[in-house]
Amino acid sequence: MSIQQPRTGARTALALLLGINFFNYIDRYILASVEPSIRATFFVPGDPNAMAITGALGTAFIVSYMISAPALGWLADRFSRWVIIGSAVILWSLASGASGLAGSIAALFITRIFVGIGEGGYGPAAPPIISDLFPLATRGRVLAVFFTAIPVGSALGYVLGGLINIHLGWRAAFYFVAPPGLLLGLLCFFQKDPRVRDATGERRHTASRADYIRLLQTRSYTFNIFAQTAMTFALGGLSFWTPAYLEFRHQPASATPIFGGITVVAGLISTLVGGFLADRLRPRFPGSYFLVSGVGMLIGFPLVIAMLYTPFPYAWIPMFGALFFIFFNTGPANTALANVSLPSVRATAFALNILIIHALGDAIAPPLLGAVAGHANMNVAFLVVSATMLVSGVIWLAGMKYLAADTAAVEHATS
């Protein structure tokens, strides 16, 4: 029978991981918020390849992130996840601060690669710690709280990056995130790994080859990965190129912080509501985590199209709606990943998910959409974004029928 109460230290661990996750996403999207200034620094005006090259800065981060995640996720299934996380946070904080010192695009590529390696150690290890500390019945809403850092941290990256860029320049925006990250990373070394002993006092086993084979044969896991891949392409393209899109629509520089504020409100509410709603619907709809995720994307994709053809300031309304529904899946989709993977392979399960969704999602979205925008316009690029949102929603709904049985199998194996 599953433990129905959080384990000792669960809320303290959640608070620390949430704080780290905020700075994780602040760091990621500071780059997007200052991209026009970086482009102006290193390229001549009117260069048709400039946007594709600066878009590849996002790819440099994503590629290193997705390649390092499986290796570091494998280590996190065998050694203290807190040690892996602390080391990773310190690495990416130092690399992010170094981004502000870059004197060329090549130097920026190098620093973003090291940021990606650092985050590759954090991404696979943090959600499994939370999943080990909180029971199945409340795991969806707890992970939703953890993942509120995605919209809020991303938006703060836009807001802080935009404001610091206006007053102090784009380099100062990167210096800002280093000191808090270093402090949070050091605090991780004082935490205790929840896997050391299970509820009976016995040490938990490490993953075997059979555990990994079982994970790859879990149908709801693969459906979830493919749906998240399409969603990640859409979100990666939307988040990276929105500042440039606002510039294309002749909006002032202050529009980027406004976009950040909208993302905070829409994403925070949506992420919490999505996780809570999926938990509440689970007794009635066993595939609720996929149901909530899929419906959200199906509602969101026409709102992106409406945004493209609505004049400002009215375009902010469909933009708010699109952001609200694209974040609706954040808690449910990641909860489903945890629920259908054994505790011994959860870090690897998240790491493999990171590898695939970023390799086929936001690793290619910024340069591809940048190339489309450079040779057509931003409206055409964002039409591609809306199409991938539709694909994502359809895949999640198609995978609903497998989720309940796969979740029950893991609960039975770990009871």
Side-chain angles (χ1 to χ4, degrees), residues 17-77:
L17 292 172
L18 179 60
I20 293 172
N21 215 23
F22 277 129
F23 278 93
N24 175 5
Y25 283 93
I26 288 172
D27 174 80
R28 290 193 194 190
Y29 288 99
I30 277 180
L31 174 64
S33 72
V34 301
E35 183 276 334
S37 296
I38 292 174
R39 189 170 6 118
T41 300
F42 296 114
F43 296 93
V44 298
D47 186 339
N49 298 314
M51 293 179 72
I53 295 173
T54 56
L57 288 172
T59 302
F61 160 78
I62 290 297
V63 169
S64 61
Y65 175 46
M66 71 188 191
I67 291 175
S68 62
L72 294 171
W74 185 86
L75 290 175
D77 278 332

Side-chain angles (χ1 to χ4, degrees), residues 29-37 39 154-166 238-248 250-264 312 316 319 323:
Y29 288 99
I30 277 180
L31 174 64
S33 72
V34 301
E35 183 276 334
S37 296
R39 189 170 6 118
S154 302
L156 286 175
Y158 281 114
V159 173
L160 293 173
L163 292 176
I164 294 172
N165 184 31
I166 291 171
L238 188 67
S239 59
F240 193 91
W241 287 118
T242 293
Y245 172 75
L246 295 171
E247 185 179 63
F248 167 75
H250 308 293
Q251 297 303 297
S254 59
T256 296
I258 293 174
F259 170 69
I262 288 176
T263 304
V264 167
F312 279 94
W316 293 117
M319 181 181 288
L323 289 169

Side-chain angles (χ1 to χ4, degrees), residues 21 31 33 41 46 61 66 112 147 183 199 235 258 285 294 298 317 335 383:
N21 215 23
L31 174 64
S33 72
T41 300
F61 160 78
M66 71 188 191
R112 300 316 289 178
F147 283 111
L183 175 60
L235 183 58
I258 293 174
F285 301 101
L298 293 183
I317 297 173
T335 302
L383 284 173

